[in-house]
Amino acid sequence: MASIRVAPSRAQRAINLLRTVNSASSSCPCHSNPQHHHNAHPSLNPFAGNRRRLATPMDTSQQKEYAFEMAASSIRFGPGCTKEVGMDFKNLGAKKVMVVTDETVRKLDAMKQVQEGLDREGIPFEVFSKTRVEPKDYSIREAIDFAKPYAPDAFLAVGGGSVIDTAKLMNLYTTCPDADFLDFVNAPLGKGQPITAKLKPLIAVPTTAGTGSETTGTAIFDLVDKKAKTGIAHRNLKPTLGICDPINTRTMPSAVHASSGLDVLCHALESWTAIPYNERTPRPDNPINRPAYQGANPISDIFSLQALRSTIQYLPRAVKDPDDWEAQSNMLLAATLAGVGFGNAGVHLCHGMSYPISSQNPGYKHVGYDVTQPIIPHGVSVAVTAPAVFKYTGASNPERHLQAAEAFGVDTSRVKKESAGEVLSEALADFLVKLGDQPRGLKALGFDNSHVDMLVEGTIPQKRVLMLAPNLDVSGGQEEREQLRGLFEDAMQY
């Protein structure tokens, strides 16, 4: 009688597969020999050859990272989708919404749309409109103090990055009312504690195409007494939903289009050229301590490179013609793409150096900004050093710098690797000059060599981003100061 063969169940097949993988006789060279290829990258597999001691605590003080995480807000993109926001809060079960904006945006159609949407669904709300452009620690505290008595169960931010960042911090400190203001602020200026509390829902409606703050867990502000920009960065800070409606960015003046777009440009370039995630040290001893800015990784690379290409293609058009709907829409999308990229990979020198540039402004007022106080827009403060920065970082990864130069239209087929940084630097400078009305270096902002030492000292505390900078000594010692001094001097004029 012939024997009948019964096919193994799905569960049994899974068990057999696990047994094969764990067997010492596996035919796969990678699994049968724990030394096969892992020795070339021991930091990627600290357990190779050590299967029986997985529960032993690791000394992670100097071990390189072996993993990366991807975190981003949910995004809704499309013209007219702002009107859905009332339904979103109803779906969330919100009873009291704190709407955060500024005095300029309060008069625009975006605010009209959100207020009508909330009213239509019967959602009670209160409006805080005193958000400061380029917020200071005291303006953040004022916003927090306004929100606490209202005790909202959800937040809605309508505006640019300053508004969205302010709303994030209102959410954080109303959820954690007993926390000291410096508890979560990035070290070494603050205590750098992780955010363990579950924050209230926050929906962000960007009205500028630049910061990408609708996707990230980062909020930036000036710490006035330290004369330095800093912030708070943690995944739990990111908005619940970003509503990216291209109609809302059509009211941006040309100068705001330009400076916002330059922020996108540098977000993309810096995250694309940051050190790889598996070169970062130390590895966190707990996943909650893994930084939001982790270094370049295969997923963020996709977002960063596409954002770079889109910005190069569409920013000049958006600046030249405010009625170019295709360019405006694509710049908002580029800002969001770059936000996902840098929100996980991080930025480095352009941003690290920009913080003291903004906070130590000698009196510069950017053309096209209707303000009474001196202001260096954030995008201007990051882009002004970019030609010097990428000339400096070129040697760290010539291939990536040449790919970036190609995005600017440069033929790199005959460029030597040692010239990669210089070629990208020249392409950047040419792009900035052609964009128009951009200061060609720090001198045009009112800085000179007498300011360099203070600019260096204002950059040193930005460890969160400087640790991702290629070729930079981040010990805080004389070597780092000399490197930064050279970069600031080179950035005086391009």
Side-chain angles (χ1 to χ4, degrees):
M1 181 177 176
S3 61
I4 299 174
R5 185 177 181 184
V6 179
S9 67
R10 184 175 296 177
Q12 187 60 50
R13 290 199 301 270
I15 292 171
N16 292 342
L17 178 60
L18 286 171
R19 285 173 176 165
T20 301
V21 170
N22 288 320
S23 168
S25 60
S26 170
S27 61
C28 171
C30 299
H31 292 100
S32 62
N33 176 9
Q35 307 303 318
H36 175 67
H37 63 56
H38 299 305
N39 283 343
H41 302 284
S43 64
L44 300 183
N45 188 359
F47 301 132
N50 192 22
R51 296 179 182 175
R52 298 188 183 278
R53 295 195 292 113
L54 297 186
T56 304
M58 295 185 302
D59 173 14
T60 59
S61 59
Q62 292 302 321
Q63 286 185 312
K64 290 181 178 179
E65 180 61 276
Y66 59 17
F68 66 91
E69 299 183 22
M70 287 298 295
S73 306
S74 294
I75 296 296
R76 181 181 301 143
F77 190 101
C81 63
T82 305
K83 63 179 177 288
E84 298 179 352
V85 72
M87 292 182 280
D88 289 317
F89 280 111
K90 188 172 184 178
N91 294 338
L92 288 167
K95 306 298 182 185
K96 295 173 70 178
V97 176
M98 174 60 68
V99 181
V100 186
T101 188
D102 62 36
E103 293 295 350
T104 299
V105 175
R106 188 168 191 171
K107 304 168 188 173
L108 301 180
D109 187 63
M111 270 296 289
K112 179 183 176 183
Q113 291 294 320
V114 301
Q115 288 176 300
E116 288 180 354
L118 293 169
D119 286 336
R120 195 160 44 241
E121 299 301 329
I123 308 290
F125 63 92
E126 188 76 39
V127 177
F128 176 80
S129 61
K130 294 184 179 178
T131 301
R132 181 188 171 109
V133 178
E134 306 293 343
K136 311 289 186 184
D137 51 1
Y138 58 79
S139 71
I140 298 291
R141 291 173 187 267
E142 179 184 1
I144 295 165
D145 290 341
F146 183 91
K148 281 182 177 179
Y150 184 63
D153 59 8
F155 288 82
L156 171 60
V158 186
S162 297
V163 168
I164 299 172
D165 287 3
T166 298
K168 290 176 183 177
L169 299 180
M170 293 167 77
N171 191 4
L172 173 61
Y173 287 102
T174 54
T175 303
C176 306
D178 297 327
D180 181 79
F181 187 74
L182 291 178
D183 280 352
F184 307 107
V185 172
N186 300 320
L189 293 170
K191 299 174 186 177
Q193 294 179 7
I195 299 171
T196 57
K198 181 177 175 59
L199 273 58
K200 300 173 181 68
L202 164 61
I203 295 179
V205 182
T207 59
T208 62
T211 68
S213 188
E214 67 274 7
T215 74
T216 74
T218 302
I220 301 298
F221 56 88
D222 278 325
L223 201 58
V224 177
D225 64 338
K226 301 290 185 182
K227 294 185 178 181
K229 253 190 179 0
T230 184
I232 298 175
H234 194 272
R235 293 174 186 83
N236 289 351
L237 203 59
K238 69 183 187 298
T240 310
L241 172 66
I243 294 181
C244 299
D245 184 342
I247 293 174
N248 294 334
T249 64
R250 299 191 76 173
T251 54
M252 281 196 296
S254 178
V256 179
H257 266 301
S259 61
S260 299
L262 292 177
D263 197 20
V264 181
L265 184 75
C266 290
H267 284 158
L269 278 168
E270 289 173 75
S271 53
W272 173 248
T273 57
I275 66 168
Y277 76 94
N278 55 6
E279 290 296 319
R280 196 189 73 251
T281 58
R283 183 192 307 161
D285 57 1
N286 187 309
I288 199 171
N289 295 321
R290 181 165 282 122
Y293 288 4
Q294 303 163 86
N297 61 76
I299 300 179
S300 66
D301 285 348
I302 298 168
F303 289 89
S304 300
L305 191 56
Q306 181 57 45
L308 175 63
R309 290 168 174 161
S310 293
T311 302
I312 292 167
Q313 180 178 357
Y314 292 109
L315 180 58
R317 284 173 51 182
V319 171
K320 183 179 180 180
D321 182 6
D323 293 323
D324 187 334
W325 173 249
E326 181 186 18
Q328 312 292 0
S329 299
N330 276 284
M331 276 309 302
L332 180 58
L333 183 57
T336 302
L337 291 171
V340 177
F342 91 84
N344 290 280
V347 288
H348 54 79
L349 280 165
C350 293
H351 273 74
M353 295 167 68
S354 79
Y355 298 143
I357 290 171
S358 294
S359 60
Q360 298 177 29
N361 183 0
Y364 177 82
K365 290 182 183 178
H366 192 61
V367 62
Y369 272 68
D370 184 19
V371 291
T372 57
Q373 299 296 319
I375 185 171
I376 302 173
H378 176 64
V380 173
S381 71
V382 293
V384 76
T385 64
V389 163
F390 293 104
K391 182 167 64 174
Y392 171 79
T393 60
S396 66
N397 195 325
E399 293 81 3
R400 288 206 167 210
H401 286 69
L402 289 175
Q403 276 186 272
E406 287 171 0
F408 284 95
V410 177
D411 179 3
T412 63
S413 58
R414 297 184 179 181
V415 176
K416 296 179 179 179
K417 287 185 177 181
E418 55 265 32
S419 301
E422 187 173 351
V423 168
L424 177 55
S425 172
E426 290 174 356
L428 255 171
D430 184 60
F431 180 84
L432 294 171
V433 168
K434 288 179 178 177
L435 198 61
D437 290 330
Q438 296 307 311
R440 300 187 187 184
L442 292 173
K443 283 185 178 179
L445 299 178
F447 292 99
D448 58 40
N449 286 339
S450 69
H451 295 98
V452 168
D453 285 342
M454 284 296 293
L455 290 170
V456 168
E457 293 308 313
T459 306
I460 292 288
Q462 311 300 331
K463 297 300 183 189
R464 180 177 62 95
V465 294
L466 295 184
M467 66 183 291
L468 300 172
N471 300 341
L472 186 70
D473 180 313
V474 290
S475 64
Q478 192 58 32
E479 177 63 24
E480 181 179 7
R481 284 175 167 79
E482 289 301 322
Q483 289 174 309
L484 290 172
R485 184 174 288 108
L487 281 164
F488 277 115
E489 290 173 349
D490 198 25
M492 281 293 164
Q493 191 169 351
Y494 64 80

